[in-house]
Amino acid sequence: MSDARSKTTVDRPVKARGAARRLLLGRNANTVYALLLIVVIASVFVPYFAGVATVSFLLIDAVPILLMAMPMALIIITGEIDLSVASTAGLSAAVMGVLFHDAHWNIWWVFVACIIVGLLCGAFNGILITAIGLPSLAVTIGTLALFRGLALVVIGDNAVADFPIDLTAFATSTIGGTGIPTFMIFVAIVVIVFAVLLHFTPFGRALFALGFSKEAARFVGIRVNRSKFWLYVASGGISAFAGIFWVLRYSSAQSDSVTGLELSVVAAVLLGGVSIFGGSGGIVGVVAGVLIIRTVNYSLQLAGLPDTVLTIVTGSLLVLSVIAPSVSARLRLSGERRRSRALLAETSAA
Amino acid sequence: MTARRVLAVSALTTAAVMALAGCAAGSTPASSGGSSKGFSIAFVPKQLNNPYTDVELGGGKKAAAALSGVDYSVVGPNTASASSQVSYINTLTQKKINVIAIAANDPNAVCSALNQAKAGGAKIITFDSDTAKNCRSLFINQVVSKDVGLIEVKQVAEQINYEGDIAILSATANATNQNAWIEFMKADLKSNPKYAKINLVATVYGNDDDTTSFQVAQGLLSTYPNLKGIISPTTVGIAATARYLSTSSYKGKVALVGLGLPNQMREYVKDGTVKAFALWDPAKIGTAAVYAAKALVAGTITGKEGDTFKAGDLGTLKVGADNTVIVGPPTEFDANNIDQYNF
């Protein structure tokens, strides 16, 4: 009797926990719910928030963060980090300015060169981290400063602003009357590629294993270093692409372009449910995380609050996103204990 | 258990967002004051919490209060960055603010955002640091850029007896106003025979950040131990440099001139670190911007050369070449007159 009961109460829900359940209740889903909640609250409380202009202004600032967040998510899932993304973007912005303005290259060749610069930056990080085996935090803090320094060497005090008007106008254009920036098409492609890569390929699944335990991953035949190396190369390339967008959007290439964006990217990825310890996370959550950061920032700006408040809020969200999973894990643990105690009491009573 | 987790997380986020939305809602009521006679003006300074900027904005605030029906607000970035200014310009566009008065951190980076604001019906005024000309109706400038360059060189030359190495410690490398002054300084040093024995050895940037400026000043003197004088055409830079000099062995030996706020520079003038520096009254810029905004909104001026408008205490101001309004000549401050000024 008691056997049958425990079967019905325990087993059936387990079977019902299919894809649908995971979709609606997983950590990814929580982030999406939080995003929806924040959008609703902002629409109610912040004057002017509900409107097409918001979509356009909010999303255009999300473009570089979304781009950089994709490889960043994969890197953090493997238990590493890349803090040099904004400096890589800054360096390619500087290269873009110099090659276009001083060397008079064709703009399309300039783009190619910028992406190559980004890939090289990523490869440099990758080699130091995988071949030499240095900790990624230390390496990328170093290259954060190094790439920014190189940007200063490349472009110096100059600001290049005379980029082709069709391209700068394209960077700020929107799709029809929707307010969605045209550049979002590229972002969508990048997001889809990374989502497929992470969730639907052996390479992606190996990344989770890698984040859980490097030794175990190596043991089951995952090429740990090779995977990590290519992630850093991808991160460099995508960061360079974000740098190109940045320059076109602001019609200005200079040594301090994209300064400080790495913090928003890391915050968004963690807020999106990727564990800072590696091993878990998902692309849907990361996209929602980026949009949460942007929505909160934009609604505070729209409300006329100063930058100081924004910095504090971004920082708090980052801390919250690191704390929340461990708090919920602890809650879950104590819940399980209570339940097993109850179950124990029940069975002993029976 | 998962349900509980969902609950916990959403409760946390709700609480956080409610708190944020709460302060957001609390601080907005002033934003929609576009009545029939009044207008709204938002200042976007290069950065907030800059003492010089605060004096400028103070002038704007006072003028806005003196005129009835003016809805005055200030938004801006914490650090002097153009991309952050763009975000704020976007929010102002969305709020249909009538006039945006901006001191640009980059003459081009803010342009497309300003043009969007203009398309939405806003008038654009620049103050302090201009944008590209086609992005604004009017530029409110302190003084003629050339006068600033000349007075700086004159002051430093007098103090070093027209002989020796000097350096410039500026704000950011792309600051429009500082770069214009520096160009005039360089031209004057090169062309004026009086300055033939003065040698400009370096131009360095403290990014209008107190700590950076302090360190850059320190670096400058260790790189060029024979330096005779420093020109710092930024209030942050000159104050940081003065602080460094006053505590070093260079005190009284290296001449420091530039643009400073009397209240910040008073102690260094009195302790002999600084003999003389220059500035105009920054409050006048804010005042002029508000009166110019009023005239633009009322349609009595369009910002073309030759337009004139009344600007309260400042009298009648005239729009000159390049749609620029000049507020006043620079004043020189030294131990004799510094106590007459309080800003």
Side-chain angles (χ1 to χ4, degrees), chain B residues 60-75:
Chain B
K61 191 171 186 180
K62 227 165 104 186
L67 294 169
S68 63
V70 179
D71 174 8
Y72 160 95
S73 62
V74 177
V75 292

Side-chain angles (χ1 to χ4, degrees), chain A residues 42-114:
Chain A
S43 314
V44 173
F45 286 100
V46 181
Y48 307 99
F49 183 85
V52 173
T54 300
V55 176
S56 132
F57 292 146
L58 193 152
L59 287 183
I60 197 160
D61 283 343
V63 168
I65 308 182
L66 266 176
L67 286 171
M68 293 175 178
M70 291 302 119
M72 182 73 85
L74 270 57
I75 288 175
I76 295 183
I77 284 173
T78 66
E80 305 287 347
I81 199 159
D82 183 358
L83 293 178
S84 69
V85 286
S87 294
T88 303
L91 177 56
S92 58
V95 168
M96 181 169 164
V98 168
L99 289 183
F100 180 74
H101 186 262
D102 298 335
H104 305 290
W105 283 28
N106 177 291
I107 189 73
W108 299 102
W109 285 114
V110 172
F111 289 160
V112 172
C114 288

Side-chain angles (χ1 to χ4, degrees), chain B residues 148-157 159-160 165-171 178 181-182 184-186 188-189 195 198-200 202-205 220 227-234 237-238 241 245 254-259 276-278:
Chain B
V148 179
L150 299 190
I151 204 164
E152 297 302 319
V153 175
K154 185 198 91 171
Q155 283 191 323
V156 82
Q159 295 185 29
I160 64 170
D165 291 349
I166 61 165
I168 296 171
L169 192 159
S170 185
Q178 264 89 7
W181 301 328
I182 292 172
F184 283 113
M185 289 179 206
K186 285 180 177 165
D188 196 31
L189 283 169
Y195 304 141
I198 297 177
N199 190 13
L200 177 65
T203 302
V204 292
Y205 301 94
L220 200 55
L227 207 60
K228 289 282 184 298
I230 298 174
I231 302 175
S232 185
T234 149
I238 194 174
T241 309
L245 290 179
V254 174
L256 172 63
V257 303
L259 304 176
F277 62 97

Side-chain angles (χ1 to χ4, degrees), chain A:
Chain A
M1 162 93 196
S2 82
D3 258 346
R5 230 183 86 218
S6 65
K7 253 203 179 94
T8 50
T9 47
V10 178
D11 274 1
R12 205 177 312 135
V14 168
K15 266 181 201 143
R17 283 176 203 181
R21 190 170 186 284
R22 215 173 49 209
L23 210 64
L24 290 174
L25 282 175
R27 203 198 273 177
N28 273 334
N30 289 353
T31 322
V32 176
Y33 294 144
L35 171 64
L36 294 178
L37 192 72
I38 290 170
V39 169
V40 169
I41 290 171
S43 314
V44 173
F45 286 100
V46 181
Y48 307 99
F49 183 85
V52 173
T54 300
V55 176
S56 132
F57 292 146
L58 193 152
L59 287 183
I60 197 160
D61 283 343
V63 168
I65 308 182
L66 266 176
L67 286 171
M68 293 175 178
M70 291 302 119
M72 182 73 85
L74 270 57
I75 288 175
I76 295 183
I77 284 173
T78 66
E80 305 287 347
I81 199 159
D82 183 358
L83 293 178
S84 69
V85 286
S87 294
T88 303
L91 177 56
S92 58
V95 168
M96 181 169 164
V98 168
L99 289 183
F100 180 74
H101 186 262
D102 298 335
H104 305 290
W105 283 28
N106 177 291
I107 189 73
W108 299 102
W109 285 114
V110 172
F111 289 160
V112 172
C114 288
I115 299 288
I116 291 174
V117 166
L119 294 171
L120 289 175
C121 288
F124 183 67
N125 280 332
I127 287 170
L128 291 183
I129 292 162
T130 60
I132 307 184
L134 300 171
S136 59
L137 185 70
V139 168
T140 57
I141 283 182
T143 51
L144 178 151
L146 172 67
F147 297 156
R148 186 63 67 186
L150 288 178
L152 250 167
V153 171
V154 169
I155 198 165
D157 306 338
N158 305 319
V160 174
D162 52 357
F163 294 100
I165 290 173
D166 333 345
L167 286 172
T168 54
F170 175 74
T172 51
S173 65
T174 55
I175 306 169
T178 57
I180 297 171
T182 318
F183 240 81
M184 271 293 161
I185 297 173
F186 298 113
V187 174
I189 294 171
V190 170
V191 169
I192 290 169
V193 166
F194 274 86
V196 169
L197 189 67
L198 180 65
H199 295 296
F200 300 103
T201 66
F203 174 82
R205 280 191 289 269
L207 297 182
F208 287 105
L210 224 163
F212 267 122
S213 163
K214 213 192 312 180
E215 285 68 35
R218 194 170 281 139
F219 200 69
V220 297
I222 293 168
R223 288 194 240 202
V224 172
N225 279 343
R226 185 186 281 202
S227 304
K228 281 189 183 169
F229 176 77
W230 287 112
L231 284 185
Y232 279 97
V233 172
S235 179
I238 298 271
S239 299
F241 183 59
I244 292 173
F245 166 75
W246 186 280
V247 169
L248 293 178
R249 168 185 179 0
Y250 293 111
S251 319
S252 180
Q254 52 199 61
S255 59
D256 64 351
S257 295
V258 213
T259 302
L261 207 70
E262 64 279 336
L263 272 190
S264 304
V265 175
V266 173
V269 169
L270 297 185
L271 200 63
V274 174
S275 164
I276 185 74
F277 306 109
S280 76
I283 294 296
V284 175
V286 170
V287 171
V290 173
L291 295 180
I292 286 178
I293 292 243
R294 276 306 307 148
T295 310
V296 169
N297 271 350
Y298 191 74
S299 36
L300 293 179
Q301 283 184 321
L302 197 57
L305 294 181
D307 241 14
T308 329
V309 177
L310 262 70
T311 320
I312 295 172
V313 169
T314 312
S316 314
L317 284 177
L318 182 57
V319 173
L320 187 77
S321 62
V322 178
I323 293 177
S326 50
V327 166
S328 72
R330 193 158 298 176
L331 280 177
R332 193 168 52 215
L333 201 69
S334 73
E336 261 164 25
R337 252 190 234 132
R338 207 175 322 128
R339 216 159 317 130
S340 59
R341 226 176 292 137
L343 201 73
L344 205 71
E346 211 177 292
T347 40
S348 63

